[in-house]
Amino acid sequence: MAKKKIAVLFGGASQDYAASLQSAYSVLCALSKEKYDIIPIGITRAGRWLFFPGDYNEIPSGAWEQNSDCCSAIISPDPHHGGIIKVLEDGNFTQQRIDVIFPVLHGKYGECGRIQALCRLSGVPFVGSGFEAANACSDRMLTYLLLERAGIKVPKYFYLERAWLEDIDALFPLIESEIKYPMYVKASSCSHSIGANIATNREELHRSIKLAATHHHKVLVEQCLDGRDLECAVTGGVYKLKASILGEVKTSTRKEKHAFLESTSEFVASKLKKSLAAEIQEIAKAAFVALGCSHFARFSFTLTDDGAYLTKAGAMPGFTEVSVFPVLMKESGVGYAALLDEIIESVL
């Protein structure tokens, strides 16, 4: 049986470049060389696309960009090509058909739907949600609007446009009447750890809004929920969804908690009543459907005395072996390599 050709995309012109390198390194090392013909394609910080035929150990440090064997390679939006076009040094080019595209890209351009739209144009099946769901998950305001419509609890929030900053003083009383301090302020569509701050008074709120507005034209101010931070992974298709066991992320500071900084978090199994755990798992599956996700997604909840609030949806979660999503799946009985196989099979 012929090997399936898998193009793995990594890097990206975003502030999540380094995170993508770590995730992609884990994916590339775990994919079976017996089952798959793997084509690594890296995107530099400057946005250049390169076929990378070198040692995977060059990827985590970023040294892969200097490998002399790299050549330009792009996904063709023409479905007739059915894959990638490599441009050689002498100006000639070659076409290579691909069976599956696996975008292991985080943050701007990688999670917001742009890459997913290109993959859709190419006609090549790809891993993860389509561009509509990717955009809905990456834009927090869209996430909340769709979840609210589906009857799913989200934190109280206030939405601002960058164009409103000239009259921001007039908005403070309205914001403060709806949300109590401390408030969590972030750009609506941006990495969850970039441009995010906790405001405990009006001066900090003003400063945090201005900072968030430098990253995106939409800014969200939302309530800081006090409770347990829980995680749930969902895999499968709309008609056959599976929710993982619930896990709990514990962090050392309030800012880390609300910015969801996995690198400083300790992931532990959560101890909840079976009925409550089952209820949250069902909410995660309902959110998966409401947002239009495909193949997999990770959902973050804050469990308060008033119930579980969904605070984040990730259509392209961290993919290292110790990231929350793979750990959830491992604890649910699906090991890392098996998870990758399962995802690729579901795409095919």
Side-chain angles (χ1 to χ4, degrees):
M1 189 176 182
K3 294 181 180 180
K4 296 297 183 183
K5 291 180 170 58
I6 312 293
V8 177
L9 308 185
F10 63 91
S14 79
Q15 291 175 293
D16 293 273
Y17 171 87
S20 173
L21 298 188
Q22 300 300 322
S23 287
Y25 175 72
S26 294
V27 169
L28 288 165
C29 290
L31 285 172
S32 170
K33 310 304 184 291
E34 296 178 358
K35 293 181 181 179
Y36 310 116
D37 183 6
I38 304 168
I39 300 96
I41 299 177
I43 304 172
T44 70
R45 289 182 184 274
R48 189 180 179 199
W49 290 50
L50 299 171
F51 165 63
F52 172 66
D55 189 327
Y56 294 160
N57 289 319
E58 297 177 38
I59 293 176
S61 66
W64 71 273
E65 291 189 25
Q66 281 71 51
N67 190 295
S68 59
D69 292 326
C70 287
C71 69
S72 293
I74 57 173
I75 296 174
S76 172
D78 185 342
H80 175 74
H81 296 144
I84 62 175
I85 296 175
K86 295 179 182 177
V87 183
L88 308 179
E89 286 188 2
D90 59 7
N92 291 318
F93 65 89
T94 61
Q95 295 176 209
Q96 185 166 11
R97 299 193 73 83
I98 300 297
D99 294 303
V100 175
I101 300 169
F102 198 142
V104 191
L105 300 167
H106 301 310
K108 192 176 182 181
Y109 305 125
E111 295 182 51
C112 64
R114 291 176 174 88
I115 283 290
Q116 291 77 10
L118 174 59
C119 292
R120 179 72 58 82
L121 288 173
S122 76
V124 179
F126 59 95
V127 167
S129 294
F131 64 92
E132 300 98 336
N135 183 47
C137 289
S138 68
D139 189 325
R140 203 179 186 101
M141 191 193 75
L142 288 179
T143 302
Y144 284 174
L145 286 174
L146 289 169
L147 293 179
E148 282 182 313
R149 191 170 183 83
I152 296 171
K153 282 185 177 181
V154 299
K156 288 182 181 179
Y157 65 93
F158 193 95
Y159 152 70
L160 302 95
E161 281 283 352
R162 184 187 293 153
W164 302 350
L165 292 187
E166 290 184 2
D167 300 315
I168 189 66
D169 288 340
L171 290 174
F172 287 141
L174 181 57
I175 296 173
E176 292 168 339
S177 69
E178 295 188 16
I179 305 172
K180 295 180 180 180
Y181 291 106
M183 303 178 190
Y184 177 46
V185 184
K186 77 172 299 292
S188 183
S189 183
C190 191
S191 171
H192 290 276
S193 60
I194 296 170
N197 282 287
I198 300 295
T200 59
N201 54 54
R202 185 174 290 192
E203 182 181 349
E204 291 178 355
L205 178 61
H206 193 178
R207 187 165 58 246
S208 297
I209 290 172
K210 289 179 65 177
L211 175 61
T214 65
H215 294 282
H216 195 260
H217 68 93
K218 290 185 288 188
V219 176
L220 282 189
V221 179
E222 64 184 63
Q223 68 178 133
C224 286
L225 295 170
D226 190 15
R228 297 174 63 182
D229 294 313
L230 304 175
E231 303 289 335
C232 184
V234 177
T235 58
V238 172
Y239 301 108
K240 192 177 180 181
L241 295 178
K242 294 185 293 184
S244 72
I245 66 164
L246 299 183
E248 187 169 3
V249 175
K250 294 186 176 180
T251 50
S252 57
T253 70
R254 190 176 190 87
K255 181 178 179 180
E256 288 171 1
K257 169 183 173 180
H258 289 281
F260 301 105
L261 302 181
E262 292 179 17
S263 61
T264 56
S265 300
E266 177 189 2
F267 183 81
V268 295
S270 63
K271 295 180 180 179
L272 298 172
K273 291 181 179 179
K274 287 185 178 180
S275 58
L276 178 56
E279 179 184 339
I280 295 174
Q281 288 170 323
E282 289 303 312
I283 295 172
K285 289 193 285 186
F288 189 98
V289 175
L291 295 169
C293 298
S294 302
H295 306 138
F296 56 83
R298 169 191 163 193
F299 297 98
S300 302
F301 294 86
T302 297
L303 180 62
T304 71
D305 294 337
D306 190 36
Y309 290 79
L310 207 161
T311 58
K312 176 186 172 187
M316 180 49 69
F319 247 99
T320 71
E321 289 196 54
V322 295
S323 295
V324 172
F325 174 73
V327 170
L328 283 169
M329 296 307 299
K330 181 180 179 181
E331 293 296 321
S332 300
V334 183
Y336 190 69
L339 172 63
L340 298 178
D341 286 341
E342 185 179 293
I343 289 171
I344 291 170
E345 287 170 9
S346 70
V347 175
L348 292 170

